[in-house]
Amino acid sequence: QGVPVVRPEEKYWELCMTMNDSWGYQHNDKNYKTPHMLLRTFVDCLSNGGNMLMDIGPKEDGTIPEEQVAILKEFGRWTKKHKEAIYDTRAGIPADHFQGFTSLNQAGDILYLYLPYRPNGIVEIKGLVNKVNRVWVVGDGSMLSYKVHNKNYWSGVPGNLYIDVPDHVLDEQITVLAVLLDGPIQLYRGEGKVIESN
C-alpha cells in the first residue's frame, strides 16, 4: 500500500494497492479511492520504473461490486487510449527536470509526460540537451507547439523547453504528452554557469 517516495533501487518492483482500504471484499468498506487517485498512483509507478498490482475483491456470489466496476472501466478507457506510454516503457527522468511524472520508451528517444493536473497553458522541461523533433498528445495525435527559452549562445547550459498545452487536448483524468528526441535522452545535470566579472 505504501507508494515509494523515492525510486526503489531494485530493477524490478511492484506496488500492491487496494481500491478501498481492504484486501478482498469487505461489505462495510465503502472508502473507495477515485479513478483519478488510482491512475495517479499508477503513473507514479511507471515513472519510477515499477508495476502496480490493483486488488479486485469479488463478493461472496462472485460478482464485482459496482464501485470497483466503475474504477476498472475508467482504467480500461485510460490505458487503452494511452497504451504507447504504458507498455514497454521504463523509468523516466529525475523529478528536478520536470514537475510531474515521466517515463521513456526502451530506446530512450521518446519522453512521456503524464499531466494529472491542468497545466494552465504550458509545461516546462529543464536541462534537456537533445533537440526535439516533435511533441504530440498520446491517444489524441494532436501536434503541440514548443519553444526553447533561456538558451544563451555563449553557454553550454541548455535552455528550458516550454510546450503549449491547450485545454481542448486534456484528458479527463491524466493527459499524456510524447516528446520525440533526436536520439537517446541526454540531460544537463550541472548547476549552471558562473559568470565572472573582471
Side-chain angles (χ1 to χ4, degrees):
Q1 292 280 71
V3 180
V5 176
V6 295
R7 184 177 296 173
E9 292 182 12
E10 292 81 4
K11 183 175 180 181
Y12 302 107
W13 67 272
E14 179 174 79
L15 172 70
C16 300
M17 178 62 65
T18 58
M19 293 190 203
N20 50 14
D21 294 328
S22 305
W23 293 102
Y25 178 68
Q26 297 291 330
H27 71 276
N28 59 347
D29 185 355
K30 300 292 185 187
N31 193 30
Y32 282 94
K33 302 168 183 84
T34 66
H36 184 79
M37 293 164 106
L38 290 163
L39 282 165
R40 193 176 177 117
T41 300
F42 178 52
V43 298
D44 192 352
C45 291
L46 291 174
S47 188
N48 284 299
N51 187 53
M52 186 173 95
L53 179 148
M54 190 162 60
D55 177 63
I56 300 169
K59 295 195 235 183
E60 299 90 336
D61 63 0
T63 60
I64 307 294
E66 61 184 46
E67 299 93 339
Q68 294 183 31
V69 170
I71 290 169
L72 291 169
K73 282 184 174 178
E74 186 57 12
F75 252 79
R77 180 201 70 80
W78 191 87
T79 55
K80 181 178 180 183
K81 179 180 178 182
H82 300 101
K83 59 188 172 210
E84 81 168 81
I86 299 170
Y87 305 107
D88 295 322
T89 60
R90 57 187 172 99
I93 60 177
D96 40 1
H97 289 276
F98 177 72
Q99 294 179 346
F101 307 113
T102 63
S103 70
L104 290 160
N105 67 342
Q106 290 301 318
D109 62 351
I110 299 179
L111 174 64
Y112 295 105
L113 311 176
Y114 306 95
L115 311 178
Y117 52 83
R118 182 173 295 282
N120 296 322
I122 60 164
V123 293
E124 174 191 15
I125 302 172
K126 298 187 293 186
L128 182 63
V129 176
N130 300 75
K131 177 182 176 290
V132 173
N133 287 335
R134 66 180 177 272
V135 180
W136 68 92
V137 181
V138 174
D140 173 293
S142 297
M143 293 295 172
L144 299 180
S145 59
Y146 56 90
K147 192 169 186 181
V148 175
H149 289 280
N150 310 321
K151 170 66 178 129
N152 297 304
Y153 71 91
W154 45 263
S155 172
V157 179
N160 298 353
L161 176 70
Y162 290 89
I163 303 168
D164 294 319
V165 187
D167 280 354
H168 72 270
V169 303
L170 298 180
D171 184 84
E172 59 199 78
Q173 299 293 344
I174 298 173
T175 305
V176 186
L177 309 183
V179 181
L180 177 62
L181 307 172
D182 62 352
I185 193 163
Q186 298 176 53
L187 297 171
Y188 174 79
R189 298 290 290 162
E191 298 176 354
K193 183 165 179 65
V194 176
I195 299 174
E196 299 175 0
S197 60
N198 292 333

